[in-house]
Amino acid sequence: MSNYLRESTTLFTYKDPVSPHLAAVAEQRVVHDDVIVSSVKQQLQRFTAELQRLGPSSKGLTLVETAGGVASPGPSGTLQVRCSVGSVVCLGPSRCGMIGWLIGSLWCMHFVAASLP
């Protein structure tokens, strides 16, 4: 029987449900991109280590949720796609018109990723 690791963690949150770059200014608490990337990487490493500790029959899935889409600004104002730390799965609602939004997001990821060092 395999072990399936389940856990949930909130790394950063703001009081008001608005775009992160607006909330960061309002609360005077800007979280810089390098801090976000570092924090997500730490969580992924910790999760991977725990899976390895549980043994070869263990399974896990990591989902990183952000506020808004890939072209939405993060707390520092930088597009969130520039903070990607691995493979990206883009999810979108099935209602009318959202396919175009999803395709636009995928193109954004494609072109921005090509410009990353």
Side-chain angles (χ1 to χ4, degrees):
M1 173 144 173
S2 68
N3 295 320
Y4 196 85
L5 184 58
R6 292 175 183 89
E7 62 180 59
S8 173
T9 303
T10 301
L11 297 177
F12 305 99
T13 187
Y14 292 101
K15 187 176 89 174
D16 293 326
V18 296
S19 183
H21 73 292
L22 298 175
V25 170
E27 294 183 25
Q28 299 178 352
R29 193 168 50 94
V30 174
V31 180
H32 294 282
D33 299 341
D34 57 337
V35 174
I36 292 172
V37 171
S38 173
S39 297
V40 171
K41 283 183 178 179
Q42 272 184 334
Q43 286 297 317
L44 293 174
Q45 289 167 348
R46 192 188 57 68
F47 186 79
T48 301
E50 182 63 15
L51 276 177
Q52 291 172 343
R53 189 191 68 74
L54 291 173
S57 64
S58 299
K59 294 179 175 44
L61 171 68
T62 302
L63 298 174
V64 177
E65 180 182 16
T66 64
V70 296
S72 297
S76 70
T78 303
L79 297 183
Q80 292 186 47
V81 70
R82 297 191 68 80
C83 292
S84 298
V85 292
S87 299
V88 175
V89 175
C90 196
L91 304 173
S94 62
R95 60 183 192 264
C96 185
M98 295 312 294
I99 295 297
W101 172 85
L102 189 59
I103 290 171
S105 295
L106 292 170
W107 277 108
C108 177
M109 287 188 291
H110 173 75
F111 287 114
V112 170
S115 70
L116 295 176

